[in-house]
Amino acid sequence: QPFIPSSAFAKIAADKFGNLYLSTIRNGIVKIIANNYPVKYYGAADKALNHTLNLLPDKTQGRILAGTTGGLLIFDTAQQLTHQLTKLPHKQAPMLCNAIAKDADGSYLLSILGNDRGIYRLSKDLSSLRPLSTQNLQSGPEYFGNILFRGKDEVLMQSQQFLYRIKPAENKYW
């Protein structure tokens, strides 16, 4: 029986224990435990939210963050959905999260698409989500996104048409 019966996978990420996480187009996240079976499937109850665009296993905080077309899904290490952000604060339109990175202080950098697209910082304790300021950009990230480099002081993110340099300590990107 195939690992992903009705969907293709978009990205693969690994944690420090060698477990693999496959983000799928329609079936949420597939976890393959290193040297162990069976394969574990999990995602949001609403299948429309399982179009996973990006994945970040964060073993330090015991979380798995999934950027989806329905927002941001945050799972604990038991694969239970603990947080779900479907809209930006004080906004009505749904948010799409296409890239996730972790900065030096443990906060998360999210590439958000839609009317309020841009780079946002989600605090380490998940209590605040704020936009980073931008320099000389007329538009924010486009649909496809990947983190290319995570350094101590900066993150490089690729989007469908652009390359972004993010300086979390300075709270800006360009």
Side-chain angles (χ1 to χ4, degrees):
Q1 185 173 3
F3 287 127
I4 307 167
S6 64
S7 181
F9 67 92
K11 299 189 190 253
I12 300 175
D15 63 22
K16 69 179 182 180
F17 299 109
N19 300 316
L20 296 177
Y21 298 86
L22 307 175
S23 64
T24 69
I25 302 298
R26 293 189 189 99
N27 292 87
I29 301 164
V30 177
K31 179 180 181 182
I32 301 173
I33 300 170
N35 303 319
N36 194 6
Y37 275 80
V39 174
K40 172 72 176 167
Y41 294 89
Y42 55 101
D46 180 355
K47 298 295 182 196
L49 299 179
N50 284 335
H51 184 157
T52 308
L53 302 171
N54 206 287
L55 194 62
L56 177 71
D58 182 2
K59 204 61 172 176
T60 306
Q61 294 297 319
R63 299 179 181 136
I64 300 158
L65 288 78
T68 74
T69 55
L72 181 69
L73 305 176
I74 303 173
F75 299 90
D76 63 15
T77 54
Q79 293 87 41
Q80 300 299 313
L81 184 62
T82 60
H83 293 81
Q84 185 173 352
L85 303 172
T86 57
K87 297 177 183 168
L88 293 170
H90 312 295
K91 303 291 180 179
Q92 294 302 315
M95 72 177 210
L96 285 79
C97 180
N98 77 331
I100 308 167
K102 195 171 175 182
D103 67 14
D105 74 356
S107 294
Y108 303 101
L109 301 171
L110 310 175
S111 169
I112 302 296
L113 305 178
N115 293 338
D116 297 294
R117 64 185 171 183
I119 308 296
Y120 289 75
R121 177 185 279 141
L122 176 62
S123 62
K124 180 178 173 178
D125 65 3
L126 310 178
S127 65
S128 86
L129 179 64
R130 296 184 329 251
L132 272 64
S133 63
T134 178
Q135 292 183 336
N136 303 322
L137 289 181
Q138 295 183 347
S139 68
E142 298 294 332
Y143 189 72
F144 297 105
N146 287 301
I147 302 302
L148 301 176
F149 172 77
R150 291 180 189 100
K152 181 181 175 196
D153 299 321
E154 69 182 352
V155 174
L156 295 178
M157 187 196 84
Q158 162 265 325
S159 186
Q160 189 168 346
Q161 297 176 339
F162 302 102
L163 182 65
Y164 297 95
R165 184 177 181 195
I166 306 166
K167 294 280 211 168
E170 297 174 25
N171 203 36
K172 65 182 177 182
Y173 71 100
W174 60 99

